[in-house]
Amino acid sequence: DPDVVKEFEKQYPDLLRLTTYLQNNHFPLFKNNQVEYFPMAEDAFEAIFEEIKKAKRFILVNFFIIGEGTLWNRMHEALLARIKEGVRVLFLYDDLGAVLRTPRKFKKYLEKEGFEVRVFNPIHKYTDKLYLNYRSHQKIVVIDGNVGFTGGMNLADEYVNLVPRFGVWKDNAVKITGDAVWALTVTFLQMWEASGSSVNYEEFMPTGSPESDVFCQVISDGPANNPRNPIEDFYKQMIYRAKKVLYITTPYLIIEDDMRDALIAAAAGGVDVRIITPHIPDKKNVKILTNYHYGKLLEGGVRIFEYTPGFIHAKTMLNEDSAVVGTINMDYRSFHLHYECGVWICNKDVVDTIKNDLLKTMEECHEVTIEEWKKRPYIIKIYEKILKVFSTLL
């Protein structure tokens, strides 16, 4: 909508280049949104369950990991209740993310109950193909086309701290009400079609949206639909456009040289660059490689904070003007191999809410120093060099 772009330019003239880049990569700019930020996944799922109760037409659900347990039982019951009331439920999940934690006939069980189910990239079909490595890491829930959710969380108990894994598990998410939900719907339907036959998009159109001046753009990419990996380039642009602050949360900090240099350049330019990573890892080798990447960043003035209560799985990038919340890790796998999604948000109140959560999180963190980093054991230093060779596979 050219009028929306003109209004955006009036309010955010310094961000015109960023939104134009996204538009040129087929991610439309939307106004008229309400955004609610959830600092923990358990808060997000409570909001999801409340919205599911209100569903009248359809519910779209897409997760990378499905794990049987208390959270899945609650989700299953909530969705089944709406199916019995005539609501369509389209349920999409990645095969690799569910194969070890669901029954062998999981898909058939759901279909018998009235779910419409598709499985992305079935393992049994492609075990001899290199694209077995290409997974859908997206997390999307859309209710009636008017309300949508995305974030780092998966549909398993550890993500909402119902079972203890790696200490306190911190994830984040956003709820969008308004025009930008259509982009989440389209992102879901693209992956739905990639996992089966085509659909009529008009059946999933929104029915209304609030008036507001909150601008959003839903971003997504993957090895097939966006080979140029626009999210990685967009992250670099956010880094270079930062003037005062740049805060990042990521469970995996395995970045390439150009991303590292962009962060260092921002810090050298006076930007307060801070990155939050886990203190307790879920993958030990990835943690060792993450720590390896601390060195040049710390030397370049970037501050590193490790989340001491446990494992931070949230994926966030924030500067003084805007923020991205979604499924995107700061590693090769996310930028090049996985299908990812997120929401870029331009609104001072929302950005301040996210910033305050990250500052509060930093109070629970241990700040890593360059002196501390240099004292890591010699055997770890050798092992890091070996892991670095295989970093794109981790």
Side-chain angles (χ1 to χ4, degrees), residues 151-168:
M153 70 285 186
N154 281 297
L155 194 50
D157 286 353
E158 63 268 28
Y159 291 86
V160 293
N161 291 294
L162 289 174
V163 296
R165 282 193 76 195
F166 322 116
V168 177

mmCIF file with all atom_site columns, all heavy atoms in Angstrom, residues 151-168:
data_model
loop_
_atom_site.group_PDB
_atom_site.id
_atom_site.type_symbol
_atom_site.label_atom_id
_atom_site.label_alt_id
_atom_site.label_comp_id
_atom_site.label_asym_id
_atom_site.label_entity_id
_atom_site.label_seq_id
_atom_site.pdbx_PDB_ins_code
_atom_site.Cartn_x
_atom_site.Cartn_y
_atom_site.Cartn_z
_atom_site.occupancy
_atom_site.B_iso_or_equiv
_atom_site.pdbx_formal_charge
_atom_site.auth_seq_id
_atom_site.auth_comp_id
_atom_site.auth_asym_id
_atom_site.auth_atom_id
_atom_site.pdbx_PDB_model_num
ATOM 1   N N   . GLY A 1 151 ? 7.401  -16.684 17.608 1.00 0.00 ? 151 GLY A N   1
ATOM 2   C CA  . GLY A 1 151 ? 8.459  -16.537 18.604 1.00 0.00 ? 151 GLY A CA  1
ATOM 3   C C   . GLY A 1 151 ? 9.356  -17.751 18.583 1.00 0.00 ? 151 GLY A C   1
ATOM 4   O O   . GLY A 1 151 ? 9.295  -18.569 17.668 1.00 0.00 ? 151 GLY A O   1
ATOM 5   N N   . GLY A 1 152 ? 10.157 -17.895 19.602 1.00 0.00 ? 152 GLY A N   1
ATOM 6   C CA  . GLY A 1 152 ? 11.127 -18.977 19.617 1.00 0.00 ? 152 GLY A CA  1
ATOM 7   C C   . GLY A 1 152 ? 10.616 -20.293 20.146 1.00 0.00 ? 152 GLY A C   1
ATOM 8   O O   . GLY A 1 152 ? 11.264 -21.331 19.975 1.00 0.00 ? 152 GLY A O   1
ATOM 9   N N   . MET A 1 153 ? 9.451  -20.293 20.789 1.00 0.00 ? 153 MET A N   1
ATOM 10  C CA  . MET A 1 153 ? 8.992  -21.461 21.528 1.00 0.00 ? 153 MET A CA  1
ATOM 11  C C   . MET A 1 153 ? 8.508  -22.578 20.624 1.00 0.00 ? 153 MET A C   1
ATOM 12  O O   . MET A 1 153 ? 8.021  -22.343 19.531 1.00 0.00 ? 153 MET A O   1
ATOM 13  C CB  . MET A 1 153 ? 7.878  -21.071 22.498 1.00 0.00 ? 153 MET A CB  1
ATOM 14  C CG  . MET A 1 153 ? 6.572  -20.701 21.835 1.00 0.00 ? 153 MET A CG  1
ATOM 15  S SD  . MET A 1 153 ? 6.581  -19.079 21.074 1.00 0.00 ? 153 MET A SD  1
ATOM 16  C CE  . MET A 1 153 ? 4.870  -18.937 20.585 1.00 0.00 ? 153 MET A CE  1
ATOM 17  N N   . ASN A 1 154 ? 8.634  -23.797 21.121 1.00 0.00 ? 154 ASN A N   1
ATOM 18  C CA  . ASN A 1 154 ? 8.077  -24.977 20.478 1.00 0.00 ? 154 ASN A CA  1
ATOM 19  C C   . ASN A 1 154 ? 6.993  -25.573 21.359 1.00 0.00 ? 154 ASN A C   1
ATOM 20  O O   . ASN A 1 154 ? 6.764  -25.120 22.497 1.00 0.00 ? 154 ASN A O   1
ATOM 21  C CB  . ASN A 1 154 ? 9.172  -26.016 20.216 1.00 0.00 ? 154 ASN A CB  1
ATOM 22  C CG  . ASN A 1 154 ? 9.988  -25.678 18.984 1.00 0.00 ? 154 ASN A CG  1
ATOM 23  O OD1 . ASN A 1 154 ? 9.486  -25.645 17.878 1.00 0.00 ? 154 ASN A OD1 1
ATOM 24  N ND2 . ASN A 1 154 ? 11.279 -25.425 19.189 1.00 0.00 ? 154 ASN A ND2 1
ATOM 25  N N   . LEU A 1 155 ? 6.334  -26.594 20.827 1.00 0.00 ? 155 LEU A N   1
ATOM 26  C CA  . LEU A 1 155 ? 5.196  -27.205 21.518 1.00 0.00 ? 155 LEU A CA  1
ATOM 27  C C   . LEU A 1 155 ? 5.674  -28.406 22.332 1.00 0.00 ? 155 LEU A C   1
ATOM 28  O O   . LEU A 1 155 ? 5.428  -29.565 21.995 1.00 0.00 ? 155 LEU A O   1
ATOM 29  C CB  . LEU A 1 155 ? 4.136  -27.614 20.481 1.00 0.00 ? 155 LEU A CB  1
ATOM 30  C CG  . LEU A 1 155 ? 2.730  -27.972 20.983 1.00 0.00 ? 155 LEU A CG  1
ATOM 31  C CD1 . LEU A 1 155 ? 2.188  -26.907 21.913 1.00 0.00 ? 155 LEU A CD1 1
ATOM 32  C CD2 . LEU A 1 155 ? 1.799  -28.170 19.800 1.00 0.00 ? 155 LEU A CD2 1
ATOM 33  N N   . ALA A 1 156 ? 6.406  -28.103 23.421 1.00 0.00 ? 156 ALA A N   1
ATOM 34  C CA  . ALA A 1 156 ? 6.933  -29.150 24.297 1.00 0.00 ? 156 ALA A CA  1
ATOM 35  C C   . ALA A 1 156 ? 7.109  -28.566 25.694 1.00 0.00 ? 156 ALA A C   1
ATOM 36  O O   . ALA A 1 156 ? 7.303  -27.347 25.863 1.00 0.00 ? 156 ALA A O   1
ATOM 37  C CB  . ALA A 1 156 ? 8.260  -29.687 23.766 1.00 0.00 ? 156 ALA A CB  1
ATOM 38  N N   . ASP A 1 157 ? 7.091  -29.430 26.697 1.00 0.00 ? 157 ASP A N   1
ATOM 39  C CA  . ASP A 1 157 ? 6.998  -28.979 28.089 1.00 0.00 ? 157 ASP A CA  1
ATOM 40  C C   . ASP A 1 157 ? 8.180  -28.131 28.552 1.00 0.00 ? 157 ASP A C   1
ATOM 41  O O   . ASP A 1 157 ? 8.008  -27.231 29.380 1.00 0.00 ? 157 ASP A O   1
ATOM 42  C CB  . ASP A 1 157 ? 6.853  -30.185 29.013 1.00 0.00 ? 157 ASP A CB  1
ATOM 43  C CG  . ASP A 1 157 ? 5.469  -30.809 28.951 1.00 0.00 ? 157 ASP A CG  1
ATOM 44  O OD1 . ASP A 1 157 ? 4.586  -30.220 28.297 1.00 0.00 ? 157 ASP A OD1 1
ATOM 45  O OD2 . ASP A 1 157 ? 5.269  -31.885 29.550 1.00 0.00 ? 157 ASP A OD2 1
ATOM 46  N N   . GLU A 1 158 ? 9.384  -28.409 28.069 1.00 0.00 ? 158 GLU A N   1
ATOM 47  C CA  . GLU A 1 158 ? 10.536 -27.655 28.550 1.00 0.00 ? 158 GLU A CA  1
ATOM 48  C C   . GLU A 1 158 ? 10.464 -26.177 28.177 1.00 0.00 ? 158 GLU A C   1
ATOM 49  O O   . GLU A 1 158 ? 11.020 -25.312 28.886 1.00 0.00 ? 158 GLU A O   1
ATOM 50  C CB  . GLU A 1 158 ? 11.850 -28.260 28.036 1.00 0.00 ? 158 GLU A CB  1
ATOM 51  C CG  . GLU A 1 158 ? 12.034 -28.233 26.532 1.00 0.00 ? 158 GLU A CG  1
ATOM 52  C CD  . GLU A 1 158 ? 11.536 -29.495 25.853 1.00 0.00 ? 158 GLU A CD  1
ATOM 53  O OE1 . GLU A 1 158 ? 10.618 -30.149 26.389 1.00 0.00 ? 158 GLU A OE1 1
ATOM 54  O OE2 . GLU A 1 158 ? 12.058 -29.827 24.779 1.00 0.00 ? 158 GLU A OE2 1
ATOM 55  N N   . TYR A 1 159 ? 9.757  -25.868 27.081 1.00 0.00 ? 159 TYR A N   1
ATOM 56  C CA  . TYR A 1 159 ? 9.690  -24.481 26.620 1.00 0.00 ? 159 TYR A CA  1
ATOM 57  C C   . TYR A 1 159 ? 8.853  -23.604 27.543 1.00 0.00 ? 159 TYR A C   1
ATOM 58  O O   . TYR A 1 159 ? 8.967  -22.377 27.510 1.00 0.00 ? 159 TYR A O   1
ATOM 59  C CB  . TYR A 1 159 ? 9.137  -24.421 25.192 1.00 0.00 ? 159 TYR A CB  1
ATOM 60  C CG  . TYR A 1 159 ? 10.100 -24.992 24.193 1.00 0.00 ? 159 TYR A CG  1
ATOM 61  C CD1 . TYR A 1 159 ? 10.131 -26.361 23.926 1.00 0.00 ? 159 TYR A CD1 1
ATOM 62  C CD2 . TYR A 1 159 ? 11.018 -24.184 23.534 1.00 0.00 ? 159 TYR A CD2 1
ATOM 63  C CE1 . TYR A 1 159 ? 11.044 -26.908 23.030 1.00 0.00 ? 159 TYR A CE1 1
ATOM 64  C CE2 . TYR A 1 159 ? 11.929 -24.714 22.638 1.00 0.00 ? 159 TYR A CE2 1
ATOM 65  C CZ  . TYR A 1 159 ? 11.934 -26.070 22.391 1.00 0.00 ? 159 TYR A CZ  1
ATOM 66  O OH  . TYR A 1 159 ? 12.854 -26.606 21.518 1.00 0.00 ? 159 TYR A OH  1
ATOM 67  N N   . VAL A 1 160 ? 8.012  -24.216 28.353 1.00 0.00 ? 160 VAL A N   1
ATOM 68  C CA  . VAL A 1 160 ? 7.182  -23.461 29.302 1.00 0.00 ? 160 VAL A CA  1
ATOM 69  C C   . VAL A 1 160 ? 7.526  -23.850 30.743 1.00 0.00 ? 160 VAL A C   1
ATOM 70  O O   . VAL A 1 160 ? 6.739  -23.619 31.657 1.00 0.00 ? 160 VAL A O   1
ATOM 71  C CB  . VAL A 1 160 ? 5.679  -23.675 29.016 1.00 0.00 ? 160 VAL A CB  1
ATOM 72  C CG1 . VAL A 1 160 ? 5.296  -23.046 27.688 1.00 0.00 ? 160 VAL A CG1 1
ATOM 73  C CG2 . VAL A 1 160 ? 5.313  -25.148 29.026 1.00 0.00 ? 160 VAL A CG2 1
ATOM 74  N N   . ASN A 1 161 ? 8.698  -24.449 30.931 1.00 0.00 ? 161 ASN A N   1
ATOM 75  C CA  . ASN A 1 161 ? 9.231  -24.765 32.259 1.00 0.00 ? 161 ASN A CA  1
ATOM 76  C C   . ASN A 1 161 ? 8.329  -25.698 33.063 1.00 0.00 ? 161 ASN A C   1
ATOM 77  O O   . ASN A 1 161 ? 8.264  -25.611 34.294 1.00 0.00 ? 161 ASN A O   1
ATOM 78  C CB  . ASN A 1 161 ? 9.500  -23.463 33.037 1.00 0.00 ? 161 ASN A CB  1
ATOM 79  C CG  . ASN A 1 161 ? 10.664 -22.684 32.457 1.00 0.00 ? 161 ASN A CG  1
ATOM 80  O OD1 . ASN A 1 161 ? 11.812 -23.128 32.489 1.00 0.00 ? 161 ASN A OD1 1
ATOM 81  N ND2 . ASN A 1 161 ? 10.369 -21.516 31.894 1.00 0.00 ? 161 ASN A ND2 1
ATOM 82  N N   . LEU A 1 162 ? 7.661  -26.612 32.359 1.00 0.00 ? 162 LEU A N   1
ATOM 83  C CA  . LEU A 1 162 ? 6.898  -27.650 33.048 1.00 0.00 ? 162 LEU A CA  1
ATOM 84  C C   . LEU A 1 162 ? 7.798  -28.815 33.449 1.00 0.00 ? 162 LEU A C   1
ATOM 85  O O   . LEU A 1 162 ? 7.455  -29.589 34.340 1.00 0.00 ? 162 LEU A O   1
ATOM 86  C CB  . LEU A 1 162 ? 5.765  -28.150 32.151 1.00 0.00 ? 162 LEU A CB  1
ATOM 87  C CG  . LEU A 1 162 ? 4.608  -27.169 31.937 1.00 0.00 ? 162 LEU A CG  1
ATOM 88  C CD1 . LEU A 1 162 ? 3.618  -27.718 30.910 1.00 0.00 ? 162 LEU A CD1 1
ATOM 89  C CD2 . LEU A 1 162 ? 3.882  -26.880 33.256 1.00 0.00 ? 162 LEU A CD2 1
ATOM 90  N N   . VAL A 1 163 ? 8.908  -28.969 32.760 1.00 0.00 ? 163 VAL A N   1
ATOM 91  C CA  . VAL A 1 163 ? 9.932  -29.943 33.135 1.00 0.00 ? 163 VAL A CA  1
ATOM 92  C C   . VAL A 1 163 ? 11.273 -29.220 33.145 1.00 0.00 ? 163 VAL A C   1
ATOM 93  O O   . VAL A 1 163 ? 11.508 -28.330 32.323 1.00 0.00 ? 163 VAL A O   1
ATOM 94  C CB  . VAL A 1 163 ? 9.980  -31.138 32.157 1.00 0.00 ? 163 VAL A CB  1
ATOM 95  C CG1 . VAL A 1 163 ? 8.690  -31.932 32.206 1.00 0.00 ? 163 VAL A CG1 1
ATOM 96  C CG2 . VAL A 1 163 ? 10.261 -30.669 30.739 1.00 0.00 ? 163 VAL A CG2 1
ATOM 97  N N   . PRO A 1 164 ? 12.156 -29.562 34.076 1.00 0.00 ? 164 PRO A N   1
ATOM 98  C CA  . PRO A 1 164 ? 13.453 -28.866 34.143 1.00 0.00 ? 164 PRO A CA  1
ATOM 99  C C   . PRO A 1 164 ? 14.447 -29.431 33.128 1.00 0.00 ? 164 PRO A C   1
ATOM 100 O O   . PRO A 1 164 ? 14.842 -30.591 33.216 1.00 0.00 ? 164 PRO A O   1
ATOM 101 C CB  . PRO A 1 164 ? 13.914 -29.134 35.581 1.00 0.00 ? 164 PRO A CB  1
ATOM 102 C CG  . PRO A 1 164 ? 13.261 -30.436 35.962 1.00 0.00 ? 164 PRO A CG  1
ATOM 103 C CD  . PRO A 1 164 ? 11.975 -30.498 35.204 1.00 0.00 ? 164 PRO A CD  1
ATOM 104 N N   . ARG A 1 165 ? 14.808 -28.608 32.151 1.00 0.00 ? 165 ARG A N   1
ATOM 105 C CA  . ARG A 1 165 ? 15.877 -28.960 31.217 1.00 0.00 ? 165 ARG A CA  1
ATOM 106 C C   . ARG A 1 165 ? 16.790 -27.750 31.107 1.00 0.00 ? 165 ARG A C   1
ATOM 107 O O   . ARG A 1 165 ? 16.355 -26.683 30.684 1.00 0.00 ? 165 ARG A O   1
ATOM 108 C CB  . ARG A 1 165 ? 15.329 -29.303 29.827 1.00 0.00 ? 165 ARG A CB  1
ATOM 109 C CG  . ARG A 1 165 ? 14.732 -30.675 29.688 1.00 0.00 ? 165 ARG A CG  1
ATOM 110 C CD  . ARG A 1 165 ? 14.510 -31.012 28.207 1.00 0.00 ? 165 ARG A CD  1
ATOM 111 N NE  . ARG A 1 165 ? 15.753 -31.361 27.517 1.00 0.00 ? 165 ARG A NE  1
ATOM 112 C CZ  . ARG A 1 165 ? 15.865 -31.400 26.193 1.00 0.00 ? 165 ARG A CZ  1
ATOM 113 N NH1 . ARG A 1 165 ? 14.846 -31.073 25.425 1.00 0.00 ? 165 ARG A NH1 1
ATOM 114 N NH2 . ARG A 1 165 ? 17.009 -31.735 25.639 1.00 0.00 ? 165 ARG A NH2 1
ATOM 115 N N   . PHE A 1 166 ? 18.018 -27.894 31.512 1.00 0.00 ? 166 PHE A N   1
ATOM 116 C CA  . PHE A 1 166 ? 19.001 -26.816 31.401 1.00 0.00 ? 166 PHE A CA  1
ATOM 117 C C   . PHE A 1 166 ? 18.589 -25.585 32.217 1.00 0.00 ? 166 PHE A C   1
ATOM 118 O O   . PHE A 1 166 ? 18.766 -24.446 31.782 1.00 0.00 ? 166 PHE A O   1
ATOM 119 C CB  . PHE A 1 166 ? 19.213 -26.427 29.933 1.00 0.00 ? 166 PHE A CB  1
ATOM 120 C CG  . PHE A 1 166 ? 19.200 -27.579 28.977 1.00 0.00 ? 166 PHE A CG  1
ATOM 121 C CD1 . PHE A 1 166 ? 18.225 -27.696 28.005 1.00 0.00 ? 166 PHE A CD1 1
ATOM 122 C CD2 . PHE A 1 166 ? 20.158 -28.579 29.068 1.00 0.00 ? 166 PHE A CD2 1
ATOM 123 C CE1 . PHE A 1 166 ? 18.198 -28.771 27.125 1.00 0.00 ? 166 PHE A CE1 1
ATOM 124 C CE2 . PHE A 1 166 ? 20.151 -29.663 28.196 1.00 0.00 ? 166 PHE A CE2 1
ATOM 125 C CZ  . PHE A 1 166 ? 19.169 -29.759 27.226 1.00 0.00 ? 166 PHE A CZ  1
ATOM 126 N N   . GLY A 1 167 ? 18.029 -25.807 33.399 1.00 0.00 ? 167 GLY A N   1
ATOM 127 C CA  . GLY A 1 167 ? 17.640 -24.700 34.254 1.00 0.00 ? 167 GLY A CA  1
ATOM 128 C C   . GLY A 1 167 ? 16.375 -24.014 33.754 1.00 0.00 ? 167 GLY A C   1
ATOM 129 O O   . GLY A 1 167 ? 15.525 -24.621 33.104 1.00 0.00 ? 167 GLY A O   1
ATOM 130 N N   . VAL A 1 168 ? 16.248 -22.716 34.066 1.00 0.00 ? 168 VAL A N   1
ATOM 131 C CA  . VAL A 1 168 ? 15.087 -21.944 33.621 1.00 0.00 ? 168 VAL A CA  1
ATOM 132 C C   . VAL A 1 168 ? 15.198 -21.708 32.119 1.00 0.00 ? 168 VAL A C   1
ATOM 133 O O   . VAL A 1 168 ? 16.211 -21.216 31.625 1.00 0.00 ? 168 VAL A O   1
ATOM 134 C CB  . VAL A 1 168 ? 14.997 -20.594 34.362 1.00 0.00 ? 168 VAL A CB  1
ATOM 135 C CG1 . VAL A 1 168 ? 13.827 -19.775 33.822 1.00 0.00 ? 168 VAL A CG1 1
ATOM 136 C CG2 . VAL A 1 168 ? 14.858 -20.809 35.855 1.00 0.00 ? 168 VAL A CG2 1
#
